Amino acid sequence: MINKLKTSTAGASYKAANILNKGGIVAFPTETVYGLGADARNEEAVLKVFRVKKRPSFNPLIIHLADIELAKRQAEFNALAIYVAEVFWPGPLTLVLPRASDCNVSRIACAGLKTLALRVPENPAAQDLLTTFSGPIAAPSANISGSVSPTRADHISDSLLDKTDLILDGGPCKIGLESTVLDLTVDQPRILRHGAIPLESLIEKLGDIKEYNHSSNTEIKSPGLLRRHYATNQPLRLNAITAQPNEAYLAFGDCTSKNAAIVRNLSESGDLSEAANKLFLLLRELDMPKYESIAVAPIPNEGLGRAINDRLERAAVKS
Ligand code: TXA
Ligand code: MG
């Protein structure tokens, strides 16, 4: 039986926290995408998340907390980390920091690394759950490993639903694209994954930021950044100015196609926030066997466009 509760239902977060306390798994909304949460201190529960999601054990999970004070118990925050957290939390920024000596997060959740990826989400339902639970919640995006992240409760696939104890339905996610992952374990902050906080916003507050070059580096710094990820079933054709009659076309702004079998526009006004918000939704809608492939209009590589292009490029890698 599928156990779904609207986040507006009285006592929803208590019920969810109770399940987490007993080692269960709860899918919950954040402002970015839905997460599949477990008590990060409970090895069995964390293992269940890896198993249910078919996630490789070398790929660590993000640890969610209610506030910066709880986060400070788990990782070492230097002055820069405190500043970054105060500026961007609660919000869609994940910080990679050294693990604190008395950190009680399961080593399995962190794939054995000496670092921890921490995030304080601002979505009210996520905040409610985290405050009620008052411990660390390990939560990857609530999709089978390698496929498109869910931005609505009904995007969570049946194969996951069957193995989840409770789904908190908080409606569509406000941003719709995952958090930015920022590594603060090095002298100069570097982006490991582009996401909902654009590079420009980080530069504005922090000065120079490095972008980690995953393809030219042999060290696996963010093990989750596998080349093929966010994959659609049908092939993607990127930077397509026009489409073929047998193709679906994912348009952006004025760049649209009359020939395509179907056209959906990420944002008619060319707004990158709107495009980020619709990306996973429209990819799901166009990913049908009746279309030979999905042609995607060029997306400007600035602001949120960087994260959009990152997801599209990885989804386009052939398996
Ligand atoms: O918006 C989000 O970040 C969502 C919501 C649910 O919070 N979560 C999410 O989790 O996207 P996931 O598991 O799909 O992606 C987590 C990313 C992966 O690329 C993983 O490798 C990286 O964070 N990561 C986790 N711990 C890390 C660490 N210690 N060092 C470097 N990268 C880490
Ligand atoms: Mg994911």
Side-chain angles (χ1 to χ4, degrees), residues 303-319:
L304 285 174
R306 282 198 189 80
I308 297 174
N309 283 327
D310 167 78
R311 306 303 186 270
L312 285 169
E313 277 156 24
R314 284 195 278 137
V317 173
K318 295 197 174 58
S319 51

PDB file of all heavy atoms in Angstrom, residues 303-319:
ATOM      1  N   GLY A 303      24.404  31.885 -15.555  1.00  0.00           N
ATOM      2  CA  GLY A 303      23.428  31.754 -14.471  1.00  0.00           C
ATOM      3  C   GLY A 303      22.974  30.310 -14.334  1.00  0.00           C
ATOM      4  O   GLY A 303      23.786  29.382 -14.391  1.00  0.00           O
ATOM      5  N   LEU A 304      21.675  30.107 -14.184  1.00  0.00           N
ATOM      6  CA  LEU A 304      21.148  28.747 -14.033  1.00  0.00           C
ATOM      7  C   LEU A 304      21.339  27.911 -15.292  1.00  0.00           C
ATOM      8  O   LEU A 304      21.217  26.687 -15.266  1.00  0.00           O
ATOM      9  CB  LEU A 304      19.658  28.807 -13.687  1.00  0.00           C
ATOM     10  CG  LEU A 304      19.333  29.213 -12.254  1.00  0.00           C
ATOM     11  CD1 LEU A 304      17.834  29.387 -12.079  1.00  0.00           C
ATOM     12  CD2 LEU A 304      19.856  28.156 -11.283  1.00  0.00           C
ATOM     13  N   GLY A 305      21.651  28.581 -16.410  1.00  0.00           N
ATOM     14  CA  GLY A 305      21.891  27.878 -17.679  1.00  0.00           C
ATOM     15  C   GLY A 305      23.032  26.874 -17.554  1.00  0.00           C
ATOM     16  O   GLY A 305      23.031  25.836 -18.216  1.00  0.00           O
ATOM     17  N   ARG A 306      24.015  27.179 -16.691  1.00  0.00           N
ATOM     18  CA  ARG A 306      25.139  26.242 -16.504  1.00  0.00           C
ATOM     19  C   ARG A 306      24.654  24.912 -15.935  1.00  0.00           C
ATOM     20  O   ARG A 306      25.058  23.846 -16.385  1.00  0.00           O
ATOM     21  CB  ARG A 306      26.180  26.830 -15.555  1.00  0.00           C
ATOM     22  CG  ARG A 306      27.052  27.835 -16.194  1.00  0.00           C
ATOM     23  CD  ARG A 306      28.315  28.048 -15.372  1.00  0.00           C
ATOM     24  NE  ARG A 306      29.017  29.183 -15.913  1.00  0.00           N
ATOM     25  CZ  ARG A 306      28.696  30.447 -15.645  1.00  0.00           C
ATOM     26  NH1 ARG A 306      27.713  30.709 -14.814  1.00  0.00           N
ATOM     27  NH2 ARG A 306      29.350  31.430 -16.198  1.00  0.00           N
ATOM     28  N   ALA A 307      23.792  24.994 -14.923  1.00  0.00           N
ATOM     29  CA  ALA A 307      23.275  23.754 -14.315  1.00  0.00           C
ATOM     30  C   ALA A 307      22.378  23.021 -15.309  1.00  0.00           C
ATOM     31  O   ALA A 307      22.423  21.789 -15.410  1.00  0.00           O
ATOM     32  CB  ALA A 307      22.520  24.071 -13.032  1.00  0.00           C
ATOM     33  N   ILE A 308      21.577  23.775 -16.058  1.00  0.00           N
ATOM     34  CA  ILE A 308      20.692  23.142 -17.054  1.00  0.00           C
ATOM     35  C   ILE A 308      21.542  22.411 -18.093  1.00  0.00           C
ATOM     36  O   ILE A 308      21.294  21.244 -18.425  1.00  0.00           O
ATOM     37  CB  ILE A 308      19.780  24.199 -17.725  1.00  0.00           C
ATOM     38  CG1 ILE A 308      18.863  24.847 -16.685  1.00  0.00           C
ATOM     39  CG2 ILE A 308      18.991  23.588 -18.877  1.00  0.00           C
ATOM     40  CD1 ILE A 308      18.033  26.010 -17.214  1.00  0.00           C
ATOM     41  N   ASN A 309      22.577  23.093 -18.599  1.00  0.00           N
ATOM     42  CA  ASN A 309      23.431  22.467 -19.615  1.00  0.00           C
ATOM     43  C   ASN A 309      24.182  21.263 -19.061  1.00  0.00           C
ATOM     44  O   ASN A 309      24.358  20.257 -19.759  1.00  0.00           O
ATOM     45  CB  ASN A 309      24.410  23.491 -20.195  1.00  0.00           C
ATOM     46  CG  ASN A 309      23.722  24.410 -21.191  1.00  0.00           C
ATOM     47  OD1 ASN A 309      22.795  23.995 -21.896  1.00  0.00           O
ATOM     48  ND2 ASN A 309      24.130  25.663 -21.240  1.00  0.00           N
ATOM     49  N   ASP A 310      24.599  21.354 -17.805  1.00  0.00           N
ATOM     50  CA  ASP A 310      25.279  20.216 -17.176  1.00  0.00           C
ATOM     51  C   ASP A 310      24.364  18.988 -17.165  1.00  0.00           C
ATOM     52  O   ASP A 310      24.767  17.885 -17.549  1.00  0.00           O
ATOM     53  CB  ASP A 310      25.685  20.596 -15.745  1.00  0.00           C
ATOM     54  CG  ASP A 310      26.096  19.377 -14.928  1.00  0.00           C
ATOM     55  OD1 ASP A 310      27.225  18.913 -15.119  1.00  0.00           O
ATOM     56  OD2 ASP A 310      25.270  18.878 -14.130  1.00  0.00           O
ATOM     57  N   ARG A 311      23.101  19.178 -16.742  1.00  0.00           N
ATOM     58  CA  ARG A 311      22.175  18.039 -16.691  1.00  0.00           C
ATOM     59  C   ARG A 311      21.895  17.508 -18.093  1.00  0.00           C
ATOM     60  O   ARG A 311      21.834  16.300 -18.314  1.00  0.00           O
ATOM     61  CB  ARG A 311      20.845  18.415 -16.037  1.00  0.00           C
ATOM     62  CG  ARG A 311      20.943  19.043 -14.654  1.00  0.00           C
ATOM     63  CD  ARG A 311      21.677  18.164 -13.644  1.00  0.00           C
ATOM     64  NE  ARG A 311      21.617  18.750 -12.320  1.00  0.00           N
ATOM     65  CZ  ARG A 311      22.517  19.609 -11.815  1.00  0.00           C
ATOM     66  NH1 ARG A 311      23.591  19.960 -12.526  1.00  0.00           N
ATOM     67  NH2 ARG A 311      22.368  20.097 -10.602  1.00  0.00           N
ATOM     68  N   LEU A 312      21.724  18.427 -19.050  1.00  0.00           N
ATOM     69  CA  LEU A 312      21.425  17.997 -20.429  1.00  0.00           C
ATOM     70  C   LEU A 312      22.610  17.237 -21.019  1.00  0.00           C
ATOM     71  O   LEU A 312      22.437  16.182 -21.642  1.00  0.00           O
ATOM     72  CB  LEU A 312      21.103  19.212 -21.304  1.00  0.00           C
ATOM     73  CG  LEU A 312      19.721  19.835 -21.086  1.00  0.00           C
ATOM     74  CD1 LEU A 312      19.626  21.186 -21.808  1.00  0.00           C
ATOM     75  CD2 LEU A 312      18.618  18.893 -21.577  1.00  0.00           C
ATOM     76  N   GLU A 313      23.820  17.761 -20.802  1.00  0.00           N
ATOM     77  CA  GLU A 313      24.993  17.095 -21.376  1.00  0.00           C
ATOM     78  C   GLU A 313      25.162  15.696 -20.808  1.00  0.00           C
ATOM     79  O   GLU A 313      25.480  14.759 -21.533  1.00  0.00           O
ATOM     80  CB  GLU A 313      26.263  17.929 -21.103  1.00  0.00           C
ATOM     81  CG  GLU A 313      26.425  19.035 -22.127  1.00  0.00           C
ATOM     82  CD  GLU A 313      27.256  20.207 -21.617  1.00  0.00           C
ATOM     83  OE1 GLU A 313      28.072  20.010 -20.692  1.00  0.00           O
ATOM     84  OE2 GLU A 313      27.056  21.318 -22.149  1.00  0.00           O
ATOM     85  N   ARG A 314      24.917  15.556 -19.505  1.00  0.00           N
ATOM     86  CA  ARG A 314      25.083  14.219 -18.923  1.00  0.00           C
ATOM     87  C   ARG A 314      23.959  13.282 -19.321  1.00  0.00           C
ATOM     88  O   ARG A 314      24.172  12.086 -19.469  1.00  0.00           O
ATOM     89  CB  ARG A 314      25.278  14.323 -17.423  1.00  0.00           C
ATOM     90  CG  ARG A 314      26.707  14.808 -17.188  1.00  0.00           C
ATOM     91  CD  ARG A 314      27.207  14.640 -15.818  1.00  0.00           C
ATOM     92  NE  ARG A 314      26.754  15.723 -14.973  1.00  0.00           N
ATOM     93  CZ  ARG A 314      26.311  15.542 -13.752  1.00  0.00           C
ATOM     94  NH1 ARG A 314      26.223  14.327 -13.268  1.00  0.00           N
ATOM     95  NH2 ARG A 314      25.956  16.560 -13.026  1.00  0.00           N
ATOM     96  N   ALA A 315      22.769  13.855 -19.524  1.00  0.00           N
ATOM     97  CA  ALA A 315      21.656  13.008 -19.978  1.00  0.00           C
ATOM     98  C   ALA A 315      21.882  12.549 -21.417  1.00  0.00           C
ATOM     99  O   ALA A 315      21.343  11.532 -21.851  1.00  0.00           O
ATOM    100  CB  ALA A 315      20.342  13.784 -19.870  1.00  0.00           C
ATOM    101  N   ALA A 316      22.680  13.322 -22.165  1.00  0.00           N
ATOM    102  CA  ALA A 316      22.875  13.013 -23.589  1.00  0.00           C
ATOM    103  C   ALA A 316      23.985  11.992 -23.832  1.00  0.00           C
ATOM    104  O   ALA A 316      24.127  11.488 -24.949  1.00  0.00           O
ATOM    105  CB  ALA A 316      23.194  14.299 -24.346  1.00  0.00           C
ATOM    106  N   VAL A 317      24.784  11.691 -22.798  1.00  0.00           N
ATOM    107  CA  VAL A 317      25.866  10.710 -22.976  1.00  0.00           C
ATOM    108  C   VAL A 317      25.253   9.348 -23.281  1.00  0.00           C
ATOM    109  O   VAL A 317      24.332   8.903 -22.591  1.00  0.00           O
ATOM    110  CB  VAL A 317      26.744  10.637 -21.689  1.00  0.00           C
ATOM    111  CG1 VAL A 317      27.750   9.512 -21.787  1.00  0.00           C
ATOM    112  CG2 VAL A 317      27.441  11.965 -21.461  1.00  0.00           C
ATOM    113  N   LYS A 318      25.765   8.718 -24.347  1.00  0.00           N
ATOM    114  CA  LYS A 318      25.167   7.425 -24.732  1.00  0.00           C
ATOM    115  C   LYS A 318      25.591   6.337 -23.754  1.00  0.00           C
ATOM    116  O   LYS A 318      26.721   6.312 -23.301  1.00  0.00           O
ATOM    117  CB  LYS A 318      25.596   7.072 -26.150  1.00  0.00           C
ATOM    118  CG  LYS A 318      25.041   8.076 -27.128  1.00  0.00           C
ATOM    119  CD  LYS A 318      25.068   7.583 -28.558  1.00  0.00           C
ATOM    120  CE  LYS A 318      24.364   8.565 -29.470  1.00  0.00           C
ATOM    121  NZ  LYS A 318      24.937   9.933 -29.431  1.00  0.00           N
ATOM    122  N   SER A 319      24.656   5.459 -23.449  1.00  0.00           N
ATOM    123  CA  SER A 319      24.982   4.410 -22.460  1.00  0.00           C
ATOM    124  C   SER A 319      25.819   3.323 -23.107  1.00  0.00           C
ATOM    125  O   SER A 319      25.847   3.170 -24.299  1.00  0.00           O
ATOM    126  CB  SER A 319      23.711   3.817 -21.894  1.00  0.00           C
ATOM    127  OG  SER A 319      22.851   3.440 -22.933  1.00  0.00           O
TER     128      SER A 319
END
